[in-house]
Amino acid sequence: MVTVRAQAHTLEAIAAGIVVLASVVFALQVTAVTPLSASTASQHIENQQQASAAGVLDAARENGALDAAVTYWDETNGTLHGTSGGGYTTDAEVERTTLGRMLLDTFEARGVAFNVYFTYTADTGSFARQRFIYRGEPSDNAATAATTVMLYDDDPLYDANETPTDTTVNESTTYDALIPPESSTGLYNVVRVEVVVWRM
């Protein structure tokens, strides 16, 4: 009798252990705890930010804001309109251009910072980069979206109101401080407009 009771208690203990073990296994599967969980979420956010930046660039190309930004040049002072150099940094400066306003509208309320760079081919054949908008040093999780602008000799410079002027990029005596000519074939240079975004 004692032996049967002992065996029953042993079987109950084994059954209880199996139930506990099954519960733990089930809980781990439901929560899907993996070493990559955090980075997967971070990658998803980066992908969203990249898609948003690409969308802004596409819209800016459609409405002419991209061309206006690349040639938004003060011929008299030899700088971007309203700045002494180094790109636009404050909200008031960024808002000077339609591209800047579009980026602010898209990212500022979401707590996302952004920089905009112009990359082009220099005389040496190497690539050079100019700041157009600079809002700080990007984080390690920054995302990038880019597009290219074909800049031709007869493309006009834009004034402070983003209106085309009578001066073309090839006729300008100072625009090469921003983007120099790369060829003499009518194609002035190919400019890569790059937007870098990151969560603040």
Side-chain angles (χ1 to χ4, degrees):
M1 190 67 122
V2 174
T3 305
V4 172
R5 188 175 297 162
Q7 289 175 342
H9 286 307
T10 302
L11 287 174
E12 285 177 8
I14 291 172
I18 291 172
V19 169
V20 170
L21 182 61
S23 297
V24 170
V25 170
F26 177 75
L28 288 174
Q29 288 177 341
V30 169
T31 55
V33 177
T34 69
L36 298 176
S37 294
S39 62
T40 301
S42 176
Q43 184 63 49
H44 179 66
I45 292 171
E46 290 173 34
N47 291 344
Q48 286 182 325
Q49 292 173 350
Q50 182 181 38
S52 296
V56 171
L57 287 174
D58 288 342
R61 181 182 294 282
E62 290 296 319
N63 67 17
L66 204 57
D67 291 334
V70 171
T71 53
Y72 191 66
W73 188 252
D74 184 343
E75 172 71 0
T76 303
N77 295 315
T79 62
L80 295 166
H81 290 287
T83 181
S84 58
Y88 299 117
T89 57
T90 66
D91 282 358
E93 290 177 340
V94 172
E95 288 176 351
R96 293 184 68 92
T97 66
T98 301
L99 176 60
R101 291 191 295 274
M102 291 170 69
L103 289 166
L104 282 173
D105 291 345
T106 303
F107 293 114
E108 189 170 47
R110 292 161 51 185
V112 176
F114 56 88
N115 291 338
V116 180
Y117 303 97
F118 297 153
T119 303
Y120 56 87
T121 305
D123 292 337
T124 60
S126 60
F127 291 103
R129 186 192 233 190
Q130 289 278 11
R131 292 176 180 174
F132 180 65
I133 296 173
Y134 188 76
R135 309 280 281 174
E137 191 64 29
S139 70
D140 291 339
N141 295 322
T144 300
T147 189
T148 55
V149 174
M150 307 294 280
L151 194 57
Y152 293 93
D153 290 343
D154 58 357
D155 284 341
L157 297 180
Y158 280 69
D159 65 18
N161 297 317
E162 291 188 297
T163 302
T165 68
D166 293 331
T167 305
T168 67
V169 294
N170 197 43
E171 294 169 341
S172 170
T173 58
T174 60
Y175 182 70
D176 60 357
L178 180 69
I179 299 171
E182 196 272 331
S183 70
S184 58
T185 61
L187 177 64
Y188 184 88
N189 211 322
V190 178
V191 183
R192 183 176 190 262
V193 181
E194 179 183 1
V195 178
V196 180
V197 292
W198 69 97
R199 189 167 294 279
M200 292 185 284

